[in-house]
Amino acid sequence: MDNNKEVVKSDNATVTFDSNRCIHSRNCVLGRPDVFVPNVDGEWIHPENASPDELLEIAHNCPSGAIQVYHPDGTPMETAPKVNTIRVTENGPSYIHAKHSVQGEDNGTRMVLCRCGHSKQKPYCDGSHKEVNFEATGEPASVEIKLPEVKDASGGELRIEPMKNGPNFIYGNVEVVTGTGHTITRDTEVHLCRCGHSAHKPFCDSTHVKVGFEADGFVPEKK
């Protein structure tokens, strides 16, 4: 068992909380303080105080995917969205909403991806962008959509593969959007900067090589 993951069961549902993924949006404790009780010692998650539908709503409001809700038989309650999206935020991380895996492991449908290069929980955001005063627009200009025949980003799973000392390779139907929802691009493979220095954020421009960026990840096969 991951020591950073709490598992709490009720008669109708199981709630898990992963502190490694939490970005402290506080939607849970502000919206349902009877379920996620703030500032207490000991047990603080009480799924018995909400219906399964209410628990699912709490999970939907957790952008990082730190909160997951399961049926009593262990199957996820949450279903994949109709459109796979990566939303770029102002001076902050990227929000993924899609059924996805990270380095081959199922990761649910929500994730917040570091793009400042300073998170200690890469590829997840841990709020370090605020400490280092990371600056990057959340409204980058649209780029050429390489696959016009892909009319939307529906269907399938995203595979997130952080490259060793390099960008995040993301495979699968996906739409990259600005913070206000405008389409930046739509493709089946995107390489997102994670060193924080690309001149073409949110996309990689290989600046990670110049700045000597270091982070764990896979090593691509040479073609």
Side-chain angles (χ1 to χ4, degrees):
M1 174 67 68
D2 184 344
N3 291 332
N4 293 300
K5 183 177 288 187
E6 299 179 56
V7 180
V8 185
K9 297 182 179 181
S10 68
D11 291 340
N12 298 318
T14 295
V15 173
T16 65
F17 173 76
D18 187 344
S19 61
N20 278 340
R21 297 175 63 171
C22 181
I23 61 168
H24 306 289
S25 63
R26 302 187 68 234
N27 293 338
C28 56
V29 297
L30 293 176
R32 286 302 300 261
D34 57 330
V35 178
F36 286 83
V37 184
N39 305 320
V40 295
D41 293 326
E43 296 182 4
W44 68 290
I45 303 174
H46 295 275
E48 70 277 6
N49 291 336
S51 69
D53 285 344
E54 290 172 329
L55 292 173
L56 185 58
E57 182 179 2
I58 295 171
H60 284 158
N61 287 328
C62 174
S64 67
I67 297 171
Q68 305 279 341
V69 182
Y70 299 87
H71 294 288
D73 64 2
T75 57
M77 283 190 185
E78 192 167 355
T79 58
K82 296 295 184 183
V83 178
N84 297 333
T85 58
I86 300 174
R87 186 178 297 267
V88 179
T89 63
E90 188 78 12
N91 301 330
S94 297
Y95 287 66
I96 291 177
H97 192 199
K99 179 174 174 53
H100 66 281
S101 63
V102 177
Q103 293 180 308
E105 294 188 9
D106 180 76
N107 205 49
T109 60
R110 287 160 290 110
M111 175 184 178
V112 182
L113 196 65
C114 171
R115 70 181 186 125
C116 74
H118 291 272
S119 171
K120 297 177 179 62
Q121 300 289 349
K122 298 182 190 70
Y124 303 103
C125 169
D126 70 355
S128 291
H129 56 277
K130 291 175 285 189
E131 298 174 10
V132 300
N133 295 318
F134 176 66
E135 294 185 0
T137 182
E139 297 293 323
S142 297
V143 299
E144 179 184 0
I145 294 178
K146 298 177 182 178
L147 299 177
E149 70 273 15
V150 181
K151 295 181 180 179
D152 57 37
S154 303
E157 178 178 309
L158 291 188
R159 290 192 297 115
I160 300 171
E161 299 286 353
M163 174 184 168
K164 183 175 177 63
N165 304 332
N168 288 303
F169 285 31
I170 299 181
Y171 303 96
N173 293 335
V174 67
E175 188 155 340
V176 184
V177 300
T178 70
T180 56
H182 297 291
T183 299
I184 301 172
T185 193
R186 187 185 302 120
D187 212 330
T188 57
E189 179 178 343
V190 292
H191 301 166
L192 299 184
C193 171
R194 69 171 180 147
C195 74
H197 294 278
S198 172
H200 299 293
K201 292 188 272 298
F203 305 107
C204 173
D205 68 356
S206 297
T207 302
H208 56 273
V209 178
K210 183 186 300 184
V211 299
F213 176 67
E214 295 184 355
D216 292 337
F218 82 104
V219 178
E221 293 182 6
K222 293 183 178 180
K223 297 182 179 180

